Structures are given as structure tokens and as C-alpha cells.
């Protein structure tokens, strides 16, 4: 996992400080939580003093004190995201990175306690981790989608499917479109599925079986291309090989966009019987089939 190297450098090395980057370093996550809960809290005066020393003199011991005293805050925030099925230690680890970034940017002269300032940074890192790892396919990319992702589960009663009225209420409360709520509900109700069937069970009807498009198979593409050629330039060349009367009959009977001429219409035009027009048409088709077969 990649960390902000400047932020990590703020913490000197000892067993508990090393555990900031790896909560499992103390053996178990319970041991880590127990250890950080015993860390002393800072008074407002101490916090302001350490903050100024870090800001003005790059005092790493001051940074260490600020970080260590707020590790319990990360544990508390990370616990709120256990419902997403991700390891508690990983959530704490990402939150610790956010805490380090907050300490690096902390300015005590703004009149805001570090605990209030750090919440945003801790949640931002945890949010990014959850969105990136909750599913193999990222479920939220836009700001509206992220807002829905982290609020929809909380606002959905007992995991039930939302009705139109509930969708409208949620969209109004979160200031998003109802269709965005519906789309996110569908995304969150799905699950990851392998494209191929497991090797040990090839009889499973995997998505690869019904997602492939046979029409894009190379031999079919070439066949379709040849067929299109015959229907355009090939057919036109074959028609030009016919005599003028046969061309007129075939075009009038089969290639007109404004309707099909009848045998009697053409019989009147050429001064022959309808049966004779049918015979000429049949002979023309025989010549066309032969010409097209030769061209293919």
C-alpha cells in the first residue's frame, strides 16, 4: 500500500508508532486498540504548543505527540465503516494515514482543535479505501455517487428495496436525482462474478457463455463484408450485364423505394402479356444468380 511518505516521516520509530502504519504489528487488532486507548490526551494548551513547534520548527517529537494522542479517534471513526465487509485493521491503517496528513497541515492559530480538523482527513482516506476495495468494479466515481454510496445503506430500512416515495425522499435529502438513487441501489445490491466458470466446475453457466457476441467472430465479419459487397457493387455489376428491358423489369419489380410495379403495369409499358413479363423476369434472375456466384 502506498502512503504519503512525508506524513509517515512525522512519526519516529517505536513499537506503537510503527503500528500506526500497520495496526497488526502489536499482534492483534484488539491489542492495538487497547494500546491506543491508553495513550494520554493532550490539553488545548499542549496541542497548540506542539502544533506551533511542528509548523515553525518541523519538530518531529511534536508531530509524534499529536499523532499518538489522536489514534483513538481513528479507531472510533474506522469502526463506523465495518459494515462494508473490509478488515478493521485496514480501515484503521488508512485512517491513520489521514491523521498524519491532518497533523502535517494543522495550524493551531486558526482556533480549531485538531480533533475537529482531523475528522475530514481521516474520513477522506477511509472513504477512498472503501470505494476502491468494496467491489472489484468501482461502484462510485462522481461526487453524487460517493454521497449516495455512503448514505444509502444508512437510509435504507433493513436493507429493503426502496419504493418510489422513499427514493424521492432520499434524493431530496441528499440533493441528487431520483434516478441516481435508483442506479446506486442497483449497483450496491449486485455482487462480483467471475467472467469464466471455475476450472474445477466447467459446467457452471458463466457470463462468458452469454456475453460473447458471435456476430463479431472474424469469419462471420468477413462473410458479412462479402455479402454487403455482393448486395451493392456486385449486384449493380450483375444488373449492368442484363439487356435494357430486363434491367427495367428487375428494378421496377424489386429495387424501387416508392413501391413495386406489377406484372400488368410492366406488360402495359412494353406492350406484351403479363406472362411474358414473368418469363423475362425469371430469365433475368437466372442470369443474376450466375453472375453473382461467379463474382463471389
Amino acid at each position: 500500500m502506498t502512503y504519503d511518505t512525508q506524513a509517515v516521516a512525522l512519526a519516529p520509530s517505536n513499537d506503537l508508532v510503527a503500528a500506526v502504519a500497520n495496526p497488526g504489528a502489536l499482534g492483534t487488532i484488539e491489542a492495538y486498540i487497547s494500546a491506543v486507548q491508553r495513550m494520554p490526551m493532550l490539553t488545548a494548551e499542549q496541542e497548540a504548543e506542539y502544533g506551533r513547534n511542528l509548523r515553525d520548527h518541523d519538530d518531529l517529537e511534536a508531530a509524534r505527540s499529536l499523532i499518538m494522542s489522536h489514534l483513538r479517534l481513528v479507531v472510533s471513526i474506522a469502526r463506523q465503516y465495518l459494515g462494508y465487509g473490509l478488515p478493521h485493521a485496514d480501515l484503521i491503517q488508512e485512517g491513520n494515514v489521514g491523521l498524519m496528513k491532518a497533523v502535517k497541515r494543522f495550524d493551531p492559530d486558526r482556533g480549531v482543535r485538531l480533533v475537529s480538523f482531523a475528522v475530514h482527513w481521516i474520513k477522506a482516506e477511509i472513504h477512498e479505501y472503501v470505494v476502491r476495495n468494496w467491489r472489484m468494479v468501482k461502484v462510485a466515481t462522481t461526487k453524487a455517487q460517493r454521497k449516495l454510496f455512503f448514505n444509502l445503506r444508512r437510509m435504507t430500512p433493513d436493507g429493503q428495496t426502496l419504493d418510489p416515495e422513499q427514493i424521492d425522499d432520499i434524493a431530496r435529502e441528499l440533493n441528487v436525482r431520483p434516478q441516481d438513487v435508483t442506479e446506486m441501489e442497483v449497483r450496491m445490491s449486485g455482487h462480483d462474478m467471475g467472467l469464466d466458470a471455475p476450472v474445477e466446475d466447467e459446467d457452471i453457466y458463466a457470463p462468458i457463455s452469454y456475453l460473447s457476441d458471435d456476430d463479431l467472430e472474424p469469419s462471420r465479419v468477413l462473410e458479412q463484408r462479402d455479402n454487403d459487397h455482393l448486395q451493392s457493387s456486385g449486384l449493380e455489376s450483375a444488373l449492368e450485364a442484363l439487356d435494357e428491358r430486363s434491367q427495367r423489369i428487375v428494378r421496377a419489380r424489386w429495387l424501387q423505394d416508392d413501391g413495386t410495379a406489377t406484372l400488368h403495369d410492366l406488360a402495359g409499358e412494353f406492350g406484351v402479356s403479363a406472362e411474358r413479363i414473368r418469363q423475362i423476369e425469371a430469365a433475368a434472375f437466372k442470369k443474376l444468380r450466375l453472375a453473382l456466384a461467379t463474382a463471389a
Side-chain angles (χ1 to χ4, degrees):
M1 186 170 295
T2 301
Y3 295 100
D4 184 322
T5 54
Q6 290 181 310
V8 173
L10 293 176
S13 60
N14 61 35
D15 289 345
L16 187 52
V17 178
V20 172
N22 181 13
L26 292 181
T28 65
I29 187 63
E30 290 77 15
Y32 173 85
I33 293 174
S34 177
V36 300
Q37 294 293 352
R38 294 195 302 269
M39 294 299 299
M41 299 292 290
L42 298 178
T43 64
E45 293 75 15
Q46 289 174 320
E47 183 177 291
E49 179 183 354
Y50 288 140
R52 293 188 185 97
N53 288 341
L54 174 61
R55 182 195 63 192
D56 301 334
H57 308 293
D58 291 330
D59 186 344
L60 296 184
E61 280 300 318
R64 173 187 178 280
S65 298
L66 291 171
I67 291 172
M68 301 298 284
S69 64
H70 287 80
L71 291 178
R72 69 182 68 199
L73 172 64
V74 177
V75 172
S76 176
I77 294 175
R79 191 175 291 119
Q80 302 171 18
Y81 296 88
L82 290 176
Y84 292 99
L86 297 170
H88 194 187
D90 288 351
L91 294 168
I92 293 174
Q93 178 175 280
E94 295 298 324
N96 286 343
V97 175
L99 173 61
M100 295 179 197
K101 291 181 177 180
V103 168
K104 184 174 184 292
R105 295 164 173 81
F106 178 56
D107 184 353
D109 291 336
R110 293 185 177 179
V112 177
R113 292 295 299 269
L114 178 57
V115 63
S116 300
F117 180 71
V119 166
H120 163 77
W121 291 94
I122 295 169
K123 286 188 174 182
E125 290 296 323
I126 294 178
H127 284 186
E128 180 61 31
Y129 170 74
V130 171
V131 170
R132 191 173 62 245
N133 293 277
W134 189 63
R135 291 278 167 79
M136 184 176 296
V137 178
K138 204 168 185 179
V139 296
T141 54
T142 67
K143 184 177 181 180
Q145 287 174 345
R146 285 172 177 261
K147 182 192 296 186
L148 278 168
F149 178 79
F150 288 105
N151 285 280
L152 197 55
R153 179 178 298 190
R154 172 180 60 82
M155 303 174 72
T156 302
D158 301 325
Q160 299 174 359
T161 302
L162 299 174
D163 58 41
E165 184 178 350
Q166 291 172 320
I167 290 175
D168 290 338
D169 291 341
I170 292 174
R172 192 179 308 109
E173 181 175 343
L174 298 179
N175 194 28
V176 296
R177 301 178 304 171
Q179 52 264 45
D180 292 335
V181 178
T182 303
E183 180 183 351
M184 183 55 65
E185 182 187 19
V186 172
R187 289 190 181 193
M188 294 182 67
S189 64
H191 60 277
D192 293 333
M193 178 184 295
L195 186 62
D196 296 316
V199 176
E200 63 273 11
D201 193 352
E202 296 182 356
D203 293 332
I204 293 180
Y205 193 56
I208 193 67
S209 303
Y210 55 82
L211 290 179
S212 59
D213 189 350
D214 293 335
D215 290 337
L216 297 180
E217 198 274 326
S219 62
R220 293 200 176 191
V221 172
L222 292 175
E223 182 181 348
Q224 184 61 42
R225 186 180 301 169
D226 291 340
N227 186 52
D228 292 342
H229 173 73
L230 288 176
Q231 290 182 353
S232 55
S233 60
L235 178 58
E236 192 63 33
S237 298
L239 281 170
E240 292 177 356
L242 299 177
D243 61 82
E244 187 174 332
R245 183 173 62 175
S246 296
Q247 283 190 45
R248 166 60 184 155
I249 291 173
V250 171
R251 291 183 187 278
R253 289 274 290 154
W254 303 102
L255 301 178
Q256 285 189 155
D257 294 331
D258 57 349
T260 301
T262 66
L263 293 174
H264 293 285
D265 291 337
L266 293 169
E269 179 179 338
F270 289 104
V272 295
S273 66
E275 175 60 21
R276 178 56 183 157
I277 295 297
R278 190 194 63 76
Q279 293 173 354
I280 296 173
E281 180 185 62
F285 277 141
K286 186 180 295 185
K287 292 179 181 179
L288 286 175
R289 283 194 291 268
L290 180 59
L292 291 173
T294 302

